[in-house]
Amino acid sequence: MNYFISILSSFNPLFFVLFVLALVIIGKAIFTFKSFPELRGKAIREMVVGGFFSILILGLFVVVPLISGITIKNNELSLRLPSGMTFVTYTGDTVLSATLIDIETQPQYAIKSKVVGTEMRNYREGIFKLENGTEAQVFLNGTKAIYVETTGTPLILGPDHFDQFLKSFSENIKPIQ
């Protein structure tokens, strides 16, 4: 079973502001290109910068959340965190334990800082330093998650359809405490 975080969770006002800014730059460049033939070189540079900026914004706010996710099947947990540069598969043997947590009420699991990844509102994906001093691979939308101890880096997993995810994890990987 595949688990993701809804693309709407990653949209925030910053996305809209940056995207409108890029569209204004491109629109101004097109107007300049059509209206002022002597400024066409400048207009082309503005179109290239605006296009690059638009692609970058769409990549960070749309593509990264779409390709991030968790797959659970046949005693395997696959984790895809592109901004955290993590594409790993864990088996039931490499997962030591799993505990249900709430990062708001259990401060030792709260996110202290980002090492590498994406963080927008409740959406967190990548590698983060926790209040307890450890680094964890995080794929989270909200505050409820499972803390997974592995033979390597711990995981904090909280995708959409969380109750279904818990059931699938318990049945295929390890029972949750």
Side-chain angles (χ1 to χ4, degrees), residues 60-107:
L60 286 174
F61 286 91
V62 177
V63 176
V64 168
L66 284 175
I67 61 175
S68 301
I70 302 167
T71 303
I72 296 176
K73 65 179 178 182
N74 301 334
N75 198 32
E76 287 186 348
L77 171 74
S78 297
L79 188 60
R80 296 174 311 283
L81 306 175
S83 68
M85 296 172 214
T86 303
F87 298 90
V88 224
T89 299
Y90 298 94
T91 62
D93 298 336
T94 58
V95 174
L96 304 175
S97 67
T99 308
L100 189 61
I101 63 167
D102 186 327
I103 63 171
E104 282 187 349
T105 60
Q106 295 171 295

Coordinates of all heavy atoms in Angstrom, one line a residue, residues 60-107:
L60 N 9.5 22.6 -5.9 CA 9.6 22.6 -4.5 C 8.2 22.4 -3.8 O 8.1 21.6 -2.9 CB 10.2 23.9 -3.9 CG 11.7 24.0 -4.1 CD1 12.2 25.4 -3.6 CD2 12.5 22.9 -3.3
F61 N 7.2 23.0 -4.4 CA 5.9 23.0 -3.7 C 5.0 21.9 -4.3 O 4.0 21.6 -3.6 CB 5.3 24.4 -3.8 CG 5.9 25.4 -2.9 CD1 6.9 26.2 -3.4 CD2 5.4 25.6 -1.6 CE1 7.4 27.2 -2.6 CE2 6.0 26.5 -0.8 CZ 7.0 27.3 -1.3
V62 N 5.2 21.4 -5.5 CA 4.3 20.5 -6.1 C 4.9 19.1 -6.3 O 4.4 18.1 -5.9 CB 3.7 21.0 -7.4 CG1 2.8 20.0 -8.0 CG2 2.9 22.3 -7.1
V63 N 6.1 19.1 -7.0 CA 6.7 17.8 -7.4 C 7.2 17.0 -6.2 O 7.0 15.8 -6.1 CB 7.7 18.0 -8.5 CG1 8.4 16.7 -8.8 CG2 7.1 18.7 -9.7
V64 N 8.0 17.7 -5.4 CA 8.6 17.0 -4.2 C 7.5 16.3 -3.3 O 7.6 15.1 -3.0 CB 9.5 18.0 -3.4 CG1 9.8 17.4 -2.0 CG2 10.7 18.3 -4.2
P65 N 6.4 17.0 -3.0 CA 5.4 16.3 -2.2 C 4.7 15.1 -3.0 O 4.3 14.2 -2.4 CB 4.3 17.4 -1.9 CG 5.1 18.7 -1.9 CD 6.1 18.5 -3.0
L66 N 4.6 15.3 -4.3 CA 4.0 14.2 -5.1 C 4.8 12.9 -5.1 O 4.3 11.8 -5.2 CB 3.7 14.7 -6.5 CG 2.5 15.6 -6.6 CD1 2.3 16.1 -8.0 CD2 1.2 14.9 -6.2
I67 N 6.2 13.1 -5.2 CA 7.0 11.8 -5.3 C 7.4 11.3 -4.0 O 8.0 10.2 -3.9 CB 8.2 12.1 -6.2 CG1 9.1 13.2 -5.7 CG2 7.7 12.3 -7.6 CD1 10.4 13.3 -6.6
S68 N 7.2 12.1 -2.9 CA 7.5 11.6 -1.6 C 6.5 10.6 -1.1 O 5.3 10.7 -1.5 CB 7.5 12.8 -0.6 OG 8.4 13.7 -0.9
G69 N 6.9 9.6 -0.4 CA 5.9 8.7 0.1 C 6.4 7.5 0.8 O 7.7 7.3 1.0
I70 N 5.5 6.6 1.3 CA 5.9 5.4 2.0 C 5.1 4.3 1.3 O 3.9 4.4 1.0 CB 5.4 5.5 3.5 CG1 6.0 6.7 4.2 CG2 5.7 4.2 4.2 CD1 5.4 7.0 5.5
T71 N 5.8 3.2 1.1 CA 5.1 2.0 0.5 C 5.3 0.8 1.5 O 6.5 0.6 2.0 CB 5.7 1.6 -0.8 OG1 5.6 2.7 -1.7 CG2 5.0 0.4 -1.4
I72 N 4.2 0.1 1.9 CA 4.3 -1.0 2.7 C 3.7 -2.2 2.0 O 2.6 -2.2 1.5 CB 3.4 -0.8 4.0 CG1 4.0 0.4 4.8 CG2 3.4 -2.1 4.8 CD1 3.2 0.7 6.0
K73 N 4.6 -3.2 1.9 CA 4.1 -4.5 1.2 C 5.1 -5.6 1.6 O 6.3 -5.5 1.7 CB 4.0 -4.4 -0.3 CG 5.3 -4.1 -1.0 CD 5.2 -4.0 -2.5 CE 6.5 -3.8 -3.1 NZ 6.5 -3.6 -4.5
N74 N 4.5 -6.8 1.9 CA 5.3 -8.0 2.1 C 6.4 -7.8 3.0 O 7.6 -8.1 2.7 CB 5.7 -8.6 0.8 CG 4.6 -8.9 -0.1 OD1 3.4 -9.1 0.3 ND2 4.9 -8.9 -1.4
N75 N 6.2 -7.4 4.2 CA 7.3 -7.2 5.2 C 8.3 -6.2 4.8 O 9.5 -6.3 5.3 CB 7.9 -8.6 5.6 CG 8.7 -8.6 6.9 OD1 8.3 -7.9 7.8 ND2 9.7 -9.4 6.9
E76 N 8.0 -5.3 4.0 CA 8.9 -4.2 3.6 C 8.3 -2.8 3.7 O 7.2 -2.6 3.3 CB 9.4 -4.4 2.1 CG 10.3 -5.6 1.9 CD 10.9 -5.6 0.5 OE1 10.3 -4.9 -0.4 OE2 11.8 -6.4 0.2
L77 N 9.1 -1.9 4.2 CA 8.7 -0.5 4.3 C 9.7 0.3 3.5 O 10.9 0.3 3.7 CB 8.8 -0.1 5.8 CG 8.7 1.4 6.1 CD1 7.2 1.8 6.0 CD2 9.2 1.7 7.5
S78 N 9.2 0.9 2.4 CA 10.0 1.7 1.5 C 9.7 3.2 1.8 O 8.5 3.6 1.8 CB 9.8 1.4 0.0 OG 10.1 0.1 -0.2
L79 N 10.8 4.0 1.9 CA 10.6 5.4 2.3 C 11.3 6.2 1.1 O 12.4 6.0 0.8 CB 11.3 5.6 3.6 CG 11.2 7.0 4.3 CD1 9.7 7.3 4.5 CD2 12.0 7.0 5.5
R80 N 10.5 7.2 0.6 CA 11.0 8.0 -0.5 C 10.9 9.5 0.0 O 9.8 10.0 0.1 CB 10.2 7.9 -1.8 CG 10.3 6.5 -2.4 CD 9.4 6.3 -3.6 NE 8.0 6.7 -3.4 CZ 7.1 6.0 -2.7 NH1 7.5 4.8 -2.1 NH2 5.9 6.4 -2.6
L81 N 12.0 10.1 0.3 CA 12.1 11.5 0.8 C 13.1 12.2 -0.1 O 14.3 12.3 0.2 CB 12.6 11.6 2.2 CG 11.8 10.7 3.3 CD1 12.5 10.9 4.6 CD2 10.4 11.2 3.3
P82 N 12.6 12.7 -1.3 CA 13.6 13.3 -2.2 C 14.4 14.5 -1.7 O 15.5 14.6 -2.0 CB 12.7 13.6 -3.4 CG 11.3 13.6 -3.0 CD 11.3 12.8 -1.8
S83 N 13.7 15.4 -1.0 CA 14.5 16.5 -0.5 C 15.5 16.1 0.6 O 16.4 16.8 0.9 CB 13.6 17.7 -0.1 OG 12.9 17.3 1.1
G84 N 15.2 15.0 1.3 CA 16.1 14.5 2.3 C 17.1 13.5 1.7 O 17.9 12.9 2.4
M85 N 17.0 13.3 0.4 CA 17.9 12.4 -0.4 C 17.8 11.0 0.2 O 18.9 10.4 0.4 CB 19.3 13.0 -0.5 CG 19.3 14.3 -1.2 SD 20.9 15.0 -1.1 CE 20.4 16.7 -1.1
T86 N 16.6 10.6 0.6 CA 16.5 9.3 1.2 C 15.6 8.4 0.3 O 14.4 8.8 0.1 CB 15.9 9.4 2.6 OG1 16.7 10.3 3.4 CG2 15.7 8.1 3.3
F87 N 16.1 7.3 -0.1 CA 15.3 6.3 -0.8 C 15.7 4.9 -0.2 O 16.7 4.4 -0.7 CB 15.5 6.3 -2.3 CG 15.1 7.6 -2.9 CD1 16.0 8.7 -3.1 CD2 13.8 7.8 -3.4 CE1 15.6 9.9 -3.6 CE2 13.4 9.1 -3.9 CZ 14.3 10.1 -4.0
V88 N 15.1 4.5 0.8 CA 15.5 3.3 1.5 C 14.4 2.3 1.7 O 13.2 2.7 1.8 CB 16.0 3.7 3.0 CG1 17.2 2.9 3.3 CG2 16.1 5.1 3.2
T89 N 14.7 1.1 1.8 CA 13.7 0.0 2.1 C 14.2 -0.7 3.4 O 15.3 -1.1 3.5 CB 13.6 -1.0 0.9 OG1 13.2 -0.3 -0.2 CG2 12.7 -2.1 1.2
Y90 N 13.2 -0.8 4.3 CA 13.5 -1.5 5.6 C 12.6 -2.8 5.5 O 11.5 -2.8 5.1 CB 13.0 -0.7 6.8 CG 13.8 0.6 6.9 CD1 13.3 1.8 6.3 CD2 15.0 0.7 7.6 CE1 14.0 3.0 6.5 CE2 15.7 1.9 7.7 CZ 15.2 3.0 7.1 OH 15.9 4.2 7.3
T91 N 13.2 -3.8 6.1 CA 12.4 -5.1 6.3 C 12.0 -5.2 7.7 O 12.4 -4.4 8.6 CB 13.3 -6.3 5.9 OG1 14.4 -6.4 6.8 CG2 13.8 -6.3 4.5
G92 N 11.1 -6.1 8.0 CA 10.6 -6.3 9.4 C 11.8 -6.6 10.3 O 11.7 -6.3 11.5
D93 N 12.9 -7.2 9.8 CA 14.1 -7.5 10.7 C 14.8 -6.2 11.1 O 15.5 -6.2 12.1 CB 15.0 -8.5 10.0 CG 14.3 -9.8 9.7 OD1 13.3 -10.1 10.4 OD2 14.7 -10.5 8.7
T94 N 14.9 -5.2 10.2 CA 15.6 -4.0 10.5 C 14.8 -3.0 11.3 O 15.4 -2.0 11.8 CB 16.1 -3.3 9.2 OG1 15.0 -3.0 8.4 CG2 17.1 -4.2 8.4
V95 N 13.5 -3.2 11.4 CA 12.7 -2.4 12.3 C 12.7 -3.0 13.7 O 12.2 -4.1 13.8 CB 11.3 -2.3 11.7 CG1 10.4 -1.5 12.6 CG2 11.3 -1.6 10.3
L96 N 13.2 -2.3 14.6 CA 13.3 -2.8 16.0 C 12.0 -2.6 16.8 O 11.5 -3.5 17.5 CB 14.4 -2.1 16.7 CG 15.8 -2.3 16.0 CD1 16.9 -1.5 16.8 CD2 16.2 -3.7 15.9
S97 N 11.4 -1.4 16.7 CA 10.1 -1.1 17.4 C 9.4 0.0 16.7 O 10.0 0.8 16.0 CB 10.4 -0.8 18.9 OG 11.1 0.4 19.0
A98 N 8.1 0.2 17.1 CA 7.3 1.3 16.6 C 6.4 1.7 17.7 O 5.8 0.9 18.4 CB 6.5 0.8 15.4
T99 N 6.4 3.0 17.9 CA 5.6 3.6 19.0 C 4.8 4.8 18.5 O 5.2 5.6 17.7 CB 6.6 4.2 20.1 OG1 7.5 3.2 20.5 CG2 5.8 4.7 21.3
L100 N 3.5 4.8 18.9 CA 2.6 5.9 18.5 C 3.0 7.1 19.3 O 3.1 7.1 20.5 CB 1.2 5.5 18.8 CG 0.1 6.4 18.3 CD1 0.1 6.5 16.8 CD2 -1.3 5.9 18.7
I101 N 3.2 8.3 18.6 CA 3.6 9.5 19.3 C 2.7 10.7 18.8 O 2.1 10.6 17.8 CB 5.1 9.8 19.1 CG1 5.4 10.1 17.6 CG2 6.0 8.7 19.6 CD1 6.7 10.7 17.3
D102 N 2.8 11.7 19.6 CA 2.2 13.0 19.2 C 3.3 14.0 19.5 O 3.7 14.2 20.7 CB 1.0 13.3 20.0 CG 0.3 14.6 19.5 OD1 1.0 15.5 19.1 OD2 -1.0 14.6 19.6
I103 N 3.9 14.7 18.5 CA 5.0 15.6 18.7 C 4.7 16.8 19.5 O 5.6 17.5 20.0 CB 5.7 15.9 17.4 CG1 4.8 16.7 16.5 CG2 6.3 14.7 16.7 CD1 5.5 17.2 15.2
E104 N 3.4 17.1 19.7 CA 3.1 18.3 20.5 C 3.0 18.0 22.0 O 3.4 18.8 22.8 CB 1.7 18.8 20.1 CG 1.7 19.7 18.8 CD 0.4 20.4 18.5 OE1 -0.6 20.0 19.1 OE2 0.4 21.2 17.6
T105 N 2.6 16.7 22.3 CA 2.5 16.4 23.7 C 3.7 15.6 24.2 O 3.8 15.4 25.4 CB 1.2 15.6 24.0 OG1 1.2 14.4 23.2 CG2 -0.1 16.4 23.6
Q106 N 4.5 15.1 23.4 CA 5.7 14.4 23.8 C 6.9 15.2 23.2 O 7.4 15.0 22.1 CB 5.7 13.0 23.2 CG 4.6 12.2 23.8 CD 4.5 10.8 23.1 OE1 4.1 10.8 21.9 NE2 4.7 9.8 23.8
P107 N 7.4 16.2 24.0 CA 8.4 17.1 23.5 C 9.7 16.5 23.1 O 10.5 17.0 22.3 CB 8.6 18.1 24.7 CG 8.0 17.4 25.9 CD 7.0 16.4 25.4

